[in-house]
Amino acid sequence: MASSREHDFLSATALRIMEDASKSRLFGYTEGQRKLFDFSCDLKRDWSKVVAGQTLWKHGGDGIDKDIRTFLNEEDIHAAVYIARYESKLRSRFTEVTQSYLKTPMRGRLSRLRVFWVPPDFKASDEEACESVQNALKEEIAKDLLLQVALGGLTSQDATRFSSSKRPGLPIAILSYIKKHGYRNNRRAAKDLDVSLDALRYEIERLFIIGFLKSDSLQGGKYRVTDSGSAMLDISSRLRDYLRGNLGDGNVNEEFEHICRLLGIDYPSIPTTTRLLGKDAEVDIQDPTALLLQHVAQADADGSVDWPEPYFELPSASEISASN
C-alpha cells in the first residue's frame, strides 16, 4: 500500500527530531537501514543502541499485531517507536495486542515500546498543523525516548540529588575515576583522588543510592558507572564547555539547552561571569543548577577529571566504502 503524505511526514519528523537532538553533543546519531520498519537510527555513546519505528496512519489497525510482533522479535532493538493516529479503535487494539504478551516470554520486551499519538485530523498539507505536531513530538520524544534510551533514564530528580552533594567537584571526580580506572577499594580510591576516606565512602554510597553507580552486591564493593551516571558525566562536561565559553556558536547550544530544561538544569540563568568558587562565591544553595555548575567549576579547577569529548556522528558503512 502506498504511503500517505502524513505517513511520510511523521516518519521523517521522528528521525529529524533524534538527529537534531544529537546536536546537544551528548550522543551520536546515524540513520539506519529501514529493513522491516518505516524508520530506524542508531544512537551512539560508548555503546550503540538501535531505535526502530513504524508510523500507523491509514490501515485502520489491521497491521498492529504484525508490527508489535516484529518489534518484540527483533533482538537488536533497544527502543521501538510507534507513531499513530489518535483514535479509540487504534488505542483499543494496541492495548489488546500488548496485553496479550503479558503472559508470554516476550513480556520483558514490552518496555521497549514507545507510542506517540497524533491528532486524527492532522493534514501534512497544513503548515501550521505540521509545526504543531513536530513541536509536540519533539517534546514527547525527548522526554520519553531520548532521556530513557540515550541518557540512561536520567531524571530531573536525579540531577537535583547529584547537585546536592556538599563536597564540590567530588561526585564528578568519582564518576570519572571509576569509569577510567574501575574501583578496587575505598583506600586506594581515596588516595588517588586525594580525599579523606570518610568523605569518599559517604559520596560513593550516595551515588550508589541515587543510581549513578552499580554493583553486583547490594552491599556495594566493586562499583561500575551506570548509564545514567555516564550521562551525568557527559552533561557535566558540556556544562564545563559552557563555563569556558565554547559550548557552541556564541556559547549557545539549543538542543543541549532543551534536554537540560527537561532535567531541571537551567544553566543559561547562571552567567559565565558568576563567581562559583572561593569565599565570595555567588552560589544560591537553594538552586540545583547553581550547585551543579559549582561542582563542574571545582572539578575543572582541581584537574582531577577526564572530561568526555562530545559524541559525533559516525560515518555509515556506505560512506566508508564510497571514500575508499
Side-chain angles (χ1 to χ4, degrees):
M1 181 184 296
S3 61
S4 65
R5 287 183 62 184
E6 289 74 24
H7 177 284
D8 293 343
F9 172 83
L10 294 170
S11 297
T13 295
L15 282 180
R16 185 165 60 251
I17 288 170
M18 288 182 276
E19 181 178 16
D20 286 347
S22 71
K23 296 174 185 176
S24 66
R25 301 195 299 172
L26 293 175
F27 60 90
Y29 166 93
T30 303
E31 186 170 347
Q33 297 180 354
R34 292 192 178 187
K35 296 181 180 179
L36 302 172
F37 307 104
D38 289 331
F39 56 90
S40 175
C41 69
D42 201 355
L43 305 182
K44 301 175 183 291
R45 288 214 336 255
D46 42 4
W47 41 246
S48 179
K49 295 187 177 181
V50 175
V51 177
Q54 294 287 85
T55 300
L56 177 65
W57 195 252
K58 275 195 168 182
H59 59 67
D62 296 335
I64 290 180
D65 306 60
K66 175 179 175 294
D67 287 343
I68 293 180
R69 184 169 61 253
T70 303
F71 277 144
L72 298 182
N73 281 323
E74 285 291 304
E75 295 283 348
D76 297 333
I77 293 177
H78 291 82
V81 176
Y82 220 163
I83 299 179
R85 182 197 295 264
Y86 188 98
E87 290 183 350
S88 58
K89 176 182 177 181
L90 296 185
R91 289 176 62 88
S92 177
R93 184 57 186 157
F94 180 83
T95 300
E96 181 182 337
V97 173
T98 52
Q99 290 290 322
S100 69
Y101 282 97
L102 288 177
K103 296 182 179 180
T104 75
M106 291 292 185
R107 64 175 300 164
R109 295 187 180 182
L110 288 173
S111 62
R112 67 173 57 170
L113 294 175
R114 304 281 194 293
V115 186
F116 303 104
W117 300 101
V118 177
D121 58 350
F122 167 66
K123 298 293 183 184
S125 57
D126 185 334
E127 291 186 6
E128 186 175 338
C130 286
E131 182 178 359
S132 176
V133 166
Q134 181 172 316
N135 289 339
L137 284 176
K138 177 180 179 179
E139 195 76 4
E140 291 179 22
I141 287 176
K143 286 191 296 187
D144 194 35
L145 175 64
L146 297 178
L147 294 188
Q148 291 298 317
V149 177
L151 300 183
L154 196 63
T155 68
S156 59
Q157 187 178 47
D158 293 335
T160 297
R161 288 174 174 172
F162 183 79
S163 304
S164 67
S165 169
K166 297 179 181 179
R167 298 171 176 82
L170 185 56
I172 299 175
I174 289 174
L175 291 179
S176 175
Y177 176 84
I178 294 178
K179 191 162 187 179
K180 181 177 181 180
H181 302 287
Y183 194 85
R184 298 181 183 178
N185 58 65
N186 288 335
R187 292 188 182 281
R188 174 63 181 271
K191 180 180 179 181
D192 290 345
L193 290 170
D194 193 25
V195 296
S196 73
L197 189 58
D198 286 342
L200 179 79
R201 283 174 175 160
Y202 178 85
E203 202 61 46
I204 286 283
E205 290 177 3
R206 207 177 68 86
L207 291 172
F208 180 59
I209 292 171
I210 293 173
F212 287 172
L213 293 177
K214 60 184 176 181
S215 173
D216 293 333
S217 169
L218 292 177
Q219 301 300 318
K222 293 185 178 179
Y223 294 100
R224 301 184 301 279
V225 179
T226 63
D227 283 348
S228 59
S230 290
M232 197 70 233
L233 190 57
D234 294 333
I235 288 171
S236 297
S237 187
R238 301 289 74 75
L239 291 175
R240 172 179 177 257
D241 292 339
Y242 169 71
L243 292 177
R244 290 187 164 206
N246 58 5
L247 180 61
D249 187 18
N251 203 27
V252 173
N253 183 319
E254 292 183 0
E255 295 300 332
F256 177 65
E257 185 176 336
H258 176 65
I259 289 175
C260 281
R261 179 176 61 79
L262 296 176
L263 294 170
I265 303 171
D266 184 21
Y267 68 87
S269 68
I270 312 293
T272 56
T273 54
T274 302
R275 291 191 300 275
L276 297 169
L277 305 177
K279 294 182 179 179
D280 57 348
E282 304 169 333
V283 178
D284 180 358
I285 61 174
Q286 301 301 318
D287 183 353
T289 298
L291 293 176
L292 177 57
L293 287 175
Q294 184 181 57
H295 281 297
V296 172
Q298 187 65 61
D300 193 22
D302 292 342
S304 58
V305 173
D306 287 329
W307 298 97
E309 293 295 327
Y311 297 96
F312 295 106
E313 178 180 344
L314 302 181
S316 65
S318 59
E319 289 173 330
I320 295 174
S321 299
S323 66
N324 290 335

